[in-house]
Amino acid sequence: MAGIQQVLLTVKAVADTCTIGRGVVLAWTPAMPTELGRHPECGLHLPDHTVSRRHVRLSLDSGRILVEPLTQSNGTFLDGEALKPGDISVIASGSTLQVGGVMLQVQLLHATVPVVDALSLVPESTDAQQAEGLSFRVVWDADNCVVELNGRQLELPPTPARALGVLLEAAPDVVHQWDLLEHLGENTNLAQVFSQVRSSLLACVDGGELSLDLLRQCVRRHTSGEHAELDSADARVVLRHVVASRRGFGYRICVASTDVCVERL
């Protein structure tokens, strides 16, 4: 059998208390061992409070993918069986790996399987958003983040790009301001950073690459209330609802988790 080319871990189920959304995909090329956890320096970053900072280690040995828990906190399960630190288990393609309150479906891609074929595993949106073509791609390379919207890279400085990447990974849930500051630096001006994010999205609206009506639909779908004022609101006002501040708590972006694909290089 050809060697394993890539490992995809797709969030399939989450506990009620989780902030990460279903449909997020983590990709790992198993040339070197990597750690999966909440800490931003982990090769596979899963920003949820039910996940330990460094939760498990993944490695490749003799053509097999191995998982080893690094902590007893929060729990680790492979196909429903509890694992503890010191246990080293083989992960088969199709297995479910649960870390904290997040359940991941594992797929192993061999060199004979084109990566493009595996993308069909990402849950497809069946609502109006997909029909109109809303699709975010977040690519992390260590602390660097690139965000694409419908195949076009958003023009963002490094800090706003990372901030948007963090929101998209948790979409449509709120990310607490302290979690954002942990990612971006404790002296970061969050209001200024997300103003730059909205300006980048506004450029897409002005350029005809992003539908204002679609943004209105996103707000209505992911927030409560009638929002009748959105029908006559201009793009700047609508974007303040799309990338929204929850004063004293944090920020969120009103898009579905199934409209976001996350990759880590």
Side-chain angles (χ1 to χ4, degrees), residues 16-210:
D16 291 341
T17 57
C18 288
T19 56
I20 196 167
R22 288 185 292 273
V24 172
V25 179
L26 306 179
W28 171 49
T29 301
M32 296 288 291
T34 192
E35 294 179 352
L36 184 154
R38 192 179 76 247
H39 197 283
E41 293 182 359
C42 286
L44 294 170
H45 181 218
L46 206 56
D48 188 86
H49 68 95
T50 69
V51 177
S52 297
R53 290 171 68 83
R54 287 184 166 86
H55 203 112
V56 300
R57 179 181 292 113
L58 297 175
S59 59
L60 177 67
D61 180 66
S62 300
R64 304 177 303 167
I65 297 298
L66 306 179
V67 58
E68 177 186 1
L70 300 176
T71 176
Q72 291 183 326
S73 303
N74 300 326
T76 302
F77 301 85
L78 180 60
D79 292 327
E81 181 178 348
L83 305 179
K84 62 182 184 298
D87 291 342
I88 299 178
S89 303
V90 178
I91 301 181
S93 193
S95 293
T96 57
L97 175 65
Q98 182 178 337
V99 290
V102 181
M103 182 177 288
L104 301 158
Q105 180 176 338
V106 180
Q107 190 192 17
L108 311 182
L109 303 181
H110 293 82
T112 55
V113 180
V115 172
V116 67
D117 291 347
L119 297 180
S120 62
L121 292 179
V122 181
E124 296 182 356
S125 174
T126 57
D127 58 22
Q129 283 180 247
Q130 186 186 48
E132 293 197 46
L134 182 65
S135 177
F136 283 96
R137 179 170 177 256
V138 181
V139 181
W140 291 94
D141 185 356
D143 286 337
N144 298 318
C145 183
V146 172
V147 180
E148 295 179 0
L149 173 59
N150 297 340
R152 173 187 180 273
Q153 182 176 335
L154 296 178
E155 296 182 3
L156 285 167
T159 298
R162 288 161 54 203
L164 179 55
V166 172
L167 287 198
L168 287 168
E169 285 197 63
D173 298 316
V174 176
V175 180
H176 196 281
Q177 61 185 7
W178 297 117
D179 290 326
L180 287 165
L181 292 174
E182 181 180 2
H183 284 281
L184 307 176
E186 61 182 11
N187 296 320
T188 301
N189 185 327
L190 294 178
Q192 184 179 60
V193 164
F194 286 110
S195 176
Q196 291 175 285
V197 170
R198 296 186 190 101
S199 294
S200 180
L201 294 174
L202 178 62
C204 295
V205 174
D206 291 342
E209 300 162 357
L210 183 59

Side-chain angles (χ1 to χ4, degrees), residues 203-241:
C204 295
V205 174
D206 291 342
E209 300 162 357
L210 183 59
S211 164
L212 187 56
D213 286 338
L214 176 57
L215 294 178
R216 294 185 176 111
Q217 293 173 26
C218 290
V219 174
R220 292 190 176 97
R221 185 173 294 111
H222 297 293
T223 60
S224 58
E226 294 286 330
H227 296 297
E229 73 280 4
L230 291 179
D231 292 334
S232 57
D234 64 19
R236 293 182 183 275
V237 173
V238 173
L239 284 168
R240 282 200 293 271
H241 288 275

Side-chain angles (χ1 to χ4, degrees), residues 2-23:
I4 297 171
Q5 181 185 32
Q6 194 174 46
V7 178
L8 298 184
L9 301 100
T10 304
V11 177
K12 304 300 288 187
V14 294
D16 291 341
T17 57
C18 288
T19 56
I20 196 167
R22 288 185 292 273

